[in-house]
Structure formats: structure tokens, C-alpha cells
Amino acid sequence: MQHRRVTPRKLRRQADKDRTRDVTRNRPADDMGIYRTAPDGGGPPRALLRIRGVTVRFGSIVALSDVSFEVRRGEILGLIGPNGAGKTTLFNCLSRLCEVERGAIDLDGKSLLEVPRHAVARVGIGRTFQHLGLFDTMTVTDNVLVGTHVRERGGFWADALRLPALVRGERRARTRVQDLIERLDLTAVAQAPVGGLPFPVKKRVELARALAAEPKLLLLDEPAGGLNHEEVERLGELVKTVRDAFGVTILMVEHHLNFVMRVSDRVVALDFGRTLAEGTPAEMQANPEVIRAYLGAPT
């Protein structure tokens, strides 16, 4: 089976059409929709996510210690660090899978720590996983449809009676899923069970499912893991195109340093559960503390 390469030009062209449609309707883009409005006053982007003094312990083990940084609205921020640095623990805090002992996490000015874990997707956080969390026996379309669930309303009686509002919601969800499948070049496998697809295609399916929830913040957990050199190159292009086309802010954990430095606007490094350094990719590549943490070179 032939799998065509995702075309960034098609994504950008559709983004321009959607943005123009919002302008002609004389309405601002919704915070939970695809496009975001520019910051007031034309200044630098304000922070979408603020992590302040976060500490997490597992018994006597300190997984995170006073970690603080911000993710600016509309940027791609890479989170790096050696194994055991606390990257996955931090992602699990953002997903509300880990409890924070001390500190604060704010998403769009509101405390994320007050959000129950079942409502994380509803407040605007989407996530992909290091180990794919897809339903292998379901089709690509049905897997992506799962992501739309948090944006629809239903219930026992609405489902049983097929109320008009429910039917309209299902129609909207299928239209969005079809659009995502086309944009991520999954049309040829839309009705195929996910279990039999190549690994890189499964990665795109999981990305489409995360985007179906219309997130403000997209968490990518080792997106380049298991890909060859050519596939990593294509992924880097896709991640930047998705940010531009969908207006989503991206925070990604990744061990593939060349990929991180090429794709990210800024990079934050963790080491032994602490914030080691942050800056542009060029600044991080020249930072002696980051070099020491990765290469064991003397500072």
C-alpha cells in the first residue's frame, strides 16, 4: 500500500481559507477553536502555560524539585534531559496523572491543579504517548472520532432518543474528523484497522486524534521515537506545519537532540528533577551545563 507524504502546502492553504472565513464573519477565533487571536498590543506572545516551583516526590525519591518555566502561546518548546530527569513525570503532572506536592501549574491563567483528570482534555490539553495508545481493532476514522468526544454533549436519553442536538453534534464531529484525516494524509487508510498499519502512520493517527479534541496545548511525548532518519525529517516538517495550520501551542519531550534543536523555538533542559537551563536552540547547544548533562564533559 502506498502512503503519500503529508503536504504542508495543503495544510497552510486550508489554514488561510479558514482564517479568512473567520474575518469575513466578523468574529474573533474562539480560544478552543483552530485559530488564536494575536496578543493585545502586538507585543511578545503571553504565556499559555506557567509552571512555578513544581515539586513531586515518590516516597524518598524527588522526581521534580522546584521546576519552573513558561510555554508561550503559539510556540514549540522542546523539553530535554537525560533519562530520569523528570520529563515524563512533568508530562504526567500536566495530564493530572501525578499529584503535585508543591508548586503551581496554570493553563491560560487558570489553575490546572484544580482540574480533575477526566476534564483535562476539555480544558484544552491534548497528548500523544511514547507508547501508542490507539485501539488496534478500530479503524483510523473511529480512533480519531474518539478525540472529538470531549467537545460533544450527550447522555443516555439523548443517545436513546437521537435528539436533534446530538445528531448535529455527531455530524460536526465526523466533518472535523474527515478534515483531519485529509490534512494528515490518512485518507487512503481511513477505513483500515489501526493494528495493521506501519508505525509512522500510527503516529499520524494518534496526532490526528489529539488534534480532534481541539487543544490549546499539545503535548508530544517522544514523537520521533522509533522513526528512521527520513521519517524524523518528515515529522519535523509536520510538527511545524501543524503548529502553523492549527494555531496550537506545542510542548514536546524528545531524546532526539537534532530533531529538537531544528524544530523548537525554545528549549528547556531538566537534570535530576531540576530546571538546568532554558533558551533558544543555539543557546542550549552552547550551554556548558547542557553539554555536561548529556555528554559528561567537564564544565
Side-chain angles (χ1 to χ4, degrees), residues 28-72:
D30 190 313
D31 272 347
M32 300 305 290
I34 295 178
Y35 299 105
R36 312 291 184 258
T37 56
D40 294 336
R46 55 191 176 90
L48 174 67
L49 178 72
R50 286 189 173 93
I51 298 169
R52 295 171 292 173
V54 168
T55 297
V56 175
R57 298 175 188 269
F58 299 113
S60 61
I61 298 174
V62 181
L64 295 173
S65 178
D66 198 30
V67 170
S68 299
F69 65 89
E70 295 183 348
V71 183
R72 298 166 186 164

Side-chain angles (χ1 to χ4, degrees), residues 93-96 99 105 107 110-125:
C93 289
L94 298 177
S95 302
R96 301 292 289 117
E99 293 299 325
I105 302 176
L107 178 71
K110 299 178 181 179
S111 174
L112 187 62
L113 301 184
E114 297 177 3
V115 176
R117 63 183 58 172
H118 69 267
V120 167
R122 192 176 299 281
V123 300
I125 294 181

Side-chain angles (χ1 to χ4, degrees), residues 225-237:
L227 303 182
N228 62 35
H229 178 73
E230 182 180 356
E231 290 162 350
V232 169
E233 290 289 328
R234 293 179 181 178
L235 177 65
E237 185 180 72

Side-chain angles (χ1 to χ4, degrees), residues 29-293:
D30 190 313
D31 272 347
M32 300 305 290
I34 295 178
Y35 299 105
R36 312 291 184 258
T37 56
D40 294 336
R46 55 191 176 90
L48 174 67
L49 178 72
R50 286 189 173 93
I51 298 169
R52 295 171 292 173
V54 168
T55 297
V56 175
R57 298 175 188 269
F58 299 113
S60 61
I61 298 174
V62 181
L64 295 173
S65 178
D66 198 30
V67 170
S68 299
F69 65 89
E70 295 183 348
V71 183
R72 298 166 186 164
R73 191 178 300 271
E75 79 172 339
I76 299 173
L77 189 141
L79 185 63
I80 63 173
N83 288 330
K87 304 182 300 297
T88 297
T89 299
L90 182 59
F91 258 37
N92 286 339
C93 289
L94 298 177
S95 302
R96 301 292 289 117
L97 300 176
C98 281
E99 293 299 325
V100 173
E101 178 181 303
R102 188 173 65 250
I105 302 176
D106 294 338
L107 178 71
D108 215 6
K110 299 178 181 179
S111 174
L112 187 62
L113 301 184
E114 297 177 3
V115 176
R117 63 183 58 172
H118 69 267
V120 167
R122 192 176 299 281
V123 300
I125 294 181
R127 180 176 179 177
T128 65
F129 292 86
Q130 179 180 353
H131 303 290
L132 297 177
L134 298 170
F135 301 99
D136 284 349
T137 59
M138 291 167 54
T139 67
V140 168
T141 296
D142 287 341
N143 267 275
V144 180
L145 270 170
V146 170
T148 68
H149 177 70
V150 296
R151 296 291 163 234
E152 302 302 329
R153 299 291 185 271
F156 176 80
W157 289 112
D159 289 336
L161 299 175
R162 302 296 295 164
L163 297 180
L166 177 72
V167 174
R168 289 194 298 270
E170 289 180 350
R171 190 178 299 119
R172 285 194 302 269
R174 289 194 173 276
T175 298
R176 177 164 178 78
V177 166
Q178 182 178 354
D179 179 58
L180 284 167
I181 286 174
E182 291 175 358
R183 291 190 186 211
L184 271 70
D185 201 22
L186 294 167
T187 304
V189 295
Q191 299 307 318
V194 164
L197 298 177
F199 185 69
V201 179
K202 290 182 180 180
K203 287 266 191 179
R204 296 209 306 275
V205 175
E206 191 173 47
L207 177 58
R209 185 179 64 183
L211 290 171
E214 302 179 34
K216 299 177 181 179
L217 176 67
L218 180 61
L219 307 178
L220 302 181
D221 193 351
E222 297 196 23
L227 303 182
N228 62 35
H229 178 73
E230 182 180 356
E231 290 162 350
V232 169
E233 290 289 328
R234 293 179 181 178
L235 177 65
E237 185 180 72
L238 177 60
V239 169
K240 290 188 287 188
T241 301
V242 163
R243 185 269 305 273
D244 295 340
F246 291 89
V248 67
T249 301
I250 296 176
L251 173 61
M252 64 179 180
V253 165
E254 185 53 68
H255 286 287
H256 197 300
L257 283 183
N258 288 336
F259 172 80
V260 172
M261 297 304 177
R262 189 175 68 254
V263 173
S264 303
D265 299 308
R266 291 190 305 123
V267 178
V268 171
L270 299 182
D271 192 25
F272 293 106
R274 294 180 177 272
T275 309
L276 179 65
E278 65 177 282
T280 65
E283 291 169 342
M284 297 296 280
Q285 287 174 305
N287 188 300
E289 289 296 318
V290 175
I291 295 173
R292 177 197 57 77

